[in-house]
Amino acid sequence: MTTQHQYDVLVIGSGAAGLSLALHLADQAKVAVLSKGQLHEGSTWFAQGGIAAVLDDQDSIDAHVTDTLAAGGGLCHPDAVRFTVERSKAAIDWLIHQGVDFTKDPSADNYHLTQEGGHSHRRIIHSADATGRAVLSSLIERVREHGNITLLEKFIALDLISQPDPSSRKLRCTGAYVYNHGDDHVHAFHAKAVVLATGGASKVYLYTSNPDGASGDGIAMAWRAGCRVGNMEFNQFHPTCLFHPKAKSFLITEALRGEGAHLKLPNGQRFMHLFDQREELAPRDIVARAIDHEMKRLGADCLYLDISHKPAAFISEHFPTVKARCLEFGIDITKEPIPVVPAAHYTCGGIVVDANGQTDLMNLYAIGETSFTGLHGANRMASNSLLECIVYAQSAAMDIEAKLTTIPFGNPAPAWDESRVTDSDEDVVISHNWDELRRFMWDYVGIVRTQKRLERATHRIKLLKREIADYYSNYKVRGDLIELRNLAMVAELIIRSAMERKESRGLHFSLDHPETAHIARDTILVPTNFAAQDIFVSGDQ
């Protein structure tokens, strides 16, 4: 028998976006927040650099907007960019009110601001080099203090529940089926509004800076429920991930380059001046391709990031987390360079939403990295991601609050049928499929792409999806199987989007189409089961 739960609002995801929205709504609604693992296992916890915001008198909203548009390769939606940037100071003020301890400038009576790639001013507010941890710790503390918010850990969403809306011809989201690791059963959660805050899908690649949970769950669930996705071909590869056989997914923050770190070849020579006049402060796509190019040219396993020319006290004060982590692997960053490689880092595309985070499915919202707001375009500018989480969490919360009293609960959902499935004794199939998927995505749909590579990836994903579907239909669901199913879906969306873009722009670089088209267009994919629904036009913000 399927256990039933009912809340006013169901938030799937427990990072900065999900917890912020829950806090904004908690005084007016009964909210459940689902975390697929422990609360600190998501991407927010590992975010190092900071949050971009206009906080200095020498800076301006127009400058931040201009920088974001330039980094986005002509694909940013100007209205979404301005919407976000204009709310940046209010977002930071709200976080400070929640207790986030941002780093102060010892020489002035204000917060320390740093500069990162693509930014023309120092506008990155941070908490040393562990900003995500500081933000999430404060939000978790506030959430746990509020009686109207229920936190449920180790609950992983399977699929959304949708029903016809009695007042229109559209479908509306009324909840989700959720697998509980604790009792090994599927539960049904019912809600007036459902919010996807599930993060990105960088785990689809073999090398990534993201934690294991970044498996594109929200994007896959929304697609299966009939929502459009946009610009899935734009996967940001962070230029500098620690290269060490025992270091798993440790990001070397871009703030090091903001504070003067140099990228070097194995022989100690700098090279970024050969690729861009901004050198180490060029946008991430340019830096990542430059590193990839030099590694392939030299046959090198890695390149190096060197900040050892700065005073040791300065390095220890500004980058304590990076210093401590590197010391665990015998690397003293005050005396020697850090071995680095590019790694999949951020999903710039996602579920198409409007300025309130509303998707194509009534009462279903998507916020944070899982969404496609139009802010990031063809390349996300550094430290705009956490800002997007906070800004859209507030706008979605305001929209939900305004509608909540008029939204009825849906009808009881059918029980999850487990009567015809068995426990698998061949889980090795899951691990093999998982590894195969991530390897061919890295080889064929990585930093540099070709038509032939994409065709190979298309062939492989079709076969793999059939194998996964057969496995999924015959055996009881488990966390790894749920994530594998979602990763395969997202991989197909990425490949399809990359096949459609016949140019090179931002994070999508094709050797077959190296030029940038004169007209910038989003890549919008529409599910075939979506024809009967009314949808808003992409770009309407």
Side-chain angles (χ1 to χ4, degrees), residues 85-152:
V85 172
E86 286 179 344
R87 289 158 177 78
S88 62
K89 185 179 186 305
I92 298 302
D93 289 342
W94 183 80
L95 287 173
I96 293 170
H97 183 69
Q98 305 310 309
V100 179
D101 185 21
F102 291 112
T103 298
K104 295 288 184 68
D105 189 335
S107 62
D109 187 26
N110 49 29
Y111 292 100
H112 180 265
L113 303 177
T114 190
Q115 187 173 357
E116 295 179 346
H119 292 273
S120 59
H121 291 78
R122 284 182 171 266
R123 64 167 68 100
I124 314 301
I125 189 169
H126 60 100
S127 182
D129 61 347
T131 306
R133 182 177 301 183
V135 169
L136 197 62
S137 296
S138 295
L139 294 180
I140 290 172
E141 188 175 344
R142 299 289 85 76
V143 163
R144 283 179 167 155
E145 292 172 351
H146 210 293
N148 263 5
I149 303 176
T150 301
L151 282 172
L152 297 168

Side-chain angles (χ1 to χ4, degrees), residues 340-496:
V340 294
V341 292
H345 181 59
Y346 193 86
T347 306
C348 288
I351 308 160
V352 175
V353 298
D354 65 10
N356 296 318
Q358 171 70 57
T359 71
D360 293 321
L361 187 59
M362 286 180 63
N363 306 334
L364 177 68
Y365 294 77
I367 55 176
E369 190 176 353
T370 200
S371 68
F372 167 56
T373 63
L375 171 63
H376 304 306
N379 184 20
R380 175 180 71 89
M381 192 166 66
S383 293
N384 271 349
S385 53
L386 283 176
L387 174 62
E388 181 184 44
C389 288
I390 308 305
V391 168
Y392 280 85
Q394 182 178 27
S395 64
M398 291 174 62
D399 194 61
I400 293 170
E401 182 183 350
K403 299 175 180 176
L404 207 56
T405 58
T406 65
I407 302 174
F409 284 104
N411 298 321
W416 185 265
D417 185 8
E418 295 179 314
S419 61
R420 291 172 292 178
V421 297
T422 61
D423 286 308
S424 170
D425 59 357
E426 296 182 351
D427 283 353
V428 67
V429 174
I430 297 177
S431 63
H432 283 182
N433 284 351
W434 184 289
D435 184 67
E436 180 185 354
L437 171 66
R438 298 177 66 214
R439 284 185 182 277
F440 78 66
M441 285 297 291
W442 181 265
D443 291 339
Y444 300 149
V445 202
I447 296 174
V448 176
R449 300 162 179 175
T450 67
Q451 189 71 15
K452 181 176 289 186
R453 292 174 191 172
L454 293 176
E455 289 171 356
R456 287 172 177 167
T458 300
H459 176 68
R460 290 306 309 142
I461 196 61
K462 288 180 179 178
L463 294 175
L464 201 58
K465 281 189 67 184
R466 283 200 291 268
E467 291 179 16
I468 295 168
D470 179 66
Y471 197 95
Y472 186 85
S473 62
N474 287 288
Y475 297 108
K476 289 186 67 175
V477 296
R478 295 287 188 274
D480 283 350
L481 178 57
I482 296 168
E483 291 180 329
L484 176 62
R485 177 190 182 219
N486 291 334
L487 271 179
M489 175 62 72
V490 171
E492 183 179 48
L493 296 175
I494 293 171
I495 296 165
R496 283 181 55 186

